[in-house]
Amino acid sequence: MLKLEYDHTNYEELLQYFAKTFKGKLRDNTLAFPPEIGEGYFKYIKLANGLQGLISDYTVHEDIIFKRLKIKDDYFSLRFDEVFIPEEANAASGLTNQTPIKSAVFLGSTRFDWLFFTTKNARVKGVDFIFSKEWLAEYLQMESVGEMIKKYLSLKMSAFNYEPMDAEYKRLLFEIINDCNDPSYGKLITQNRVMLLLERFFTRIYNKMNDMHFDVKVSNDDISRLKHIETELLKDFSVEPPGIAKLARMAAMSPSKLKNSFKEIYGLPVYQYFQKHRMNKAKAMLLSKKYSVREVGIEVGFSNLSNFAKAFKKSFDQLPSDILGSK
């Protein structure tokens, strides 16, 4: 298994890192996979408005983990991916009941670690963008709409968010992949389709916010304090999280205000939010196939493996051993 860890916010440099790791050569901002690694490519794109992205279309000959490490700077990563997993790859991993085609839109924050796990022989097609808050402010020039969306991204999606990729998303994604290497109009088509993807994504967020009657009443000062509490909650899953009374003192709030404000901002009560992220880390570790169930349980704070198994099954409707393909 190959593991790539990175924290780049410059995707041209990220592609150079991939090339060095894969021992491949770059040509015209494109990295073709060496035959011993797989087939396909990564292609770096930089659009006229300063947006950076990577287009990908590849199949690998071994399991690969792409791990983005968290950084303090606020950037968003927006991915559109479709993964086709052959039946034999599902069987080899012990996940025989998995859907062979998975597609999703993923919005992540660079303030959190996240993993993208590519199974041996899986076909991956995708496009990945990274943008700063400053880019977002310039892109969303309508003040009322822009401020609302930026606040939504900062608060409701502070860690990561998935949504299914519908037919229109897939059409635009495939047109980007199919036309990005066209020597005549490829660059123009790519830029057009990328902007259509972004327009669709942010329009859907805006409509979703209207449906939710999104209106955050928490002050900016309290939001800053709550972000500090969120960091404190998620910094080390191997130990018990602080109690509400301690968190309230850290936030200079009453316990009731902390609980109410936290749920308004993050959409879940304090400890449900903690548990969600704890279980997500456990699943990511298991998917890496580098750790035993016991090692993962201890890493996320369970000394009793039976309790870990129950908590994991409650979150994902499967046991930790199911992920590893063993009993």
Side-chain angles (χ1 to χ4, degrees):
M1 177 182 292
L2 186 62
K3 183 174 182 179
L4 290 82
E5 295 185 341
Y6 58 93
D7 60 3
H8 299 71
T9 56
N10 181 309
Y11 271 19
E12 188 171 17
E13 294 178 359
L14 176 60
L15 189 61
Q16 292 170 358
Y17 165 67
F18 286 168
K20 181 178 179 180
T21 304
F22 291 145
K23 296 181 173 60
K25 293 183 178 180
L26 286 172
R27 183 176 180 181
D28 297 328
N29 289 323
T30 302
L31 170 63
F33 277 60
E36 61 272 21
I37 299 294
E39 302 170 353
Y41 66 87
F42 282 114
K43 183 180 181 68
Y44 167 76
I45 55 171
K46 185 174 182 180
L47 305 180
N49 58 13
L51 184 69
Q52 301 180 71
L54 284 178
I55 299 172
S56 56
D57 184 4
Y58 62 85
T59 301
V60 292
H61 300 326
E62 62 177 307
D63 293 347
I64 298 181
I65 294 177
F66 297 90
K67 182 176 182 180
R68 166 168 281 285
L69 303 173
K70 64 182 177 182
I71 61 175
K72 293 181 179 179
D73 297 331
D74 273 323
Y75 282 81
F76 293 102
S77 176
L78 178 60
R79 301 178 57 102
F80 300 83
D81 291 300
E82 178 163 285
V83 181
F84 174 75
I85 305 175
E87 184 176 345
E88 61 271 19
N90 269 334
S93 65
L95 305 178
T96 54
N97 294 324
Q98 298 295 303
T99 304
I101 298 179
K102 297 181 179 181
S103 59
V105 183
F106 167 87
L107 177 67
S109 166
T110 55
R111 293 192 297 111
F112 296 85
D113 292 336
W114 58 265
L115 299 175
F116 185 79
F117 181 66
T118 302
T119 308
K120 176 181 177 181
N121 295 328
R123 176 76 178 272
V124 178
K125 296 183 179 183
V127 59
D128 175 9
F129 306 107
I130 192 166
F131 51 89
S132 64
K133 286 188 174 181
E134 291 73 23
W135 182 89
L136 189 63
E138 184 174 346
Y139 177 73
L140 300 173
Q141 293 182 7
M142 294 176 60
E143 184 173 349
S144 60
V145 175
E147 284 302 316
M148 189 183 296
I149 290 179
K150 282 186 288 181
K151 202 165 192 177
Y152 184 87
L153 290 177
S154 296
L155 303 178
K156 292 296 185 182
M157 300 181 180
S158 55
F160 50 81
N161 183 70
Y162 289 92
E163 69 169 278
M165 189 158 59
D166 62 17
E168 181 63 12
Y169 276 141
K170 291 182 182 181
R171 181 184 71 81
L172 293 170
L173 172 63
F174 293 156
E175 288 184 4
I176 290 171
I177 292 173
N178 292 336
D179 295 321
C180 73
N181 296 312
D182 187 317
S184 53
Y185 298 105
K187 186 174 182 180
L188 181 63
I189 293 173
T190 298
Q191 178 159 324
N192 173 265
R193 300 305 187 269
V194 164
M195 298 314 294
L196 287 174
L197 265 182
L198 293 174
E199 179 184 356
R200 179 171 176 76
F201 177 77
F202 287 114
T203 297
R204 285 166 67 93
I205 283 184
Y206 181 65
N207 291 336
K208 182 178 180 180
M209 287 157 46
N210 280 338
D211 291 341
M212 293 168 58
H213 305 292
F214 182 75
D215 181 21
V216 175
K217 299 180 177 64
V218 180
S219 71
N220 288 335
D221 184 50
D222 284 345
I223 287 172
S224 178
R225 296 177 186 182
L226 289 169
K227 285 187 175 181
H228 173 63
I229 295 305
E230 179 198 30
T231 300
E232 189 68 23
L233 270 177
L234 305 183
K235 72 178 183 180
D236 186 358
F237 291 112
S238 66
V239 298
E240 284 293 317
I244 290 293
K246 183 176 180 179
L247 291 173
R249 288 195 298 272
M250 294 171 62
M253 297 178 180
S254 69
S256 59
K257 180 178 179 179
L258 170 67
K259 290 189 288 187
N260 293 335
S261 299
F262 192 96
K263 185 174 181 180
E264 181 177 2
I265 295 300
Y266 294 106
L268 289 171
V270 173
Y271 293 119
Q272 284 187 31
Y273 186 85
F274 168 82
Q275 185 72 351
K276 173 185 174 182
H277 287 278
R278 178 162 68 154
M279 291 297 101
N280 283 336
K281 178 175 182 178
K283 187 172 185 179
M285 291 181 68
L286 290 167
L287 284 171
S288 76
K289 305 295 179 71
K290 293 181 65 176
Y291 307 94
S292 68
V293 171
R294 178 179 177 79
E295 289 171 330
V296 174
I298 292 173
E299 180 66 21
V300 296
F302 286 89
S303 57
N304 185 308
L305 292 187
S306 177
N307 289 339
F308 172 53
K310 290 177 182 177
F312 194 90
K313 185 172 178 61
K314 182 177 180 180
S315 294
F316 302 112
D317 198 28
Q318 59 183 159
L319 294 169
S321 57
D322 296 334
I323 298 289
L324 296 179
S326 62
K327 298 297 183 181

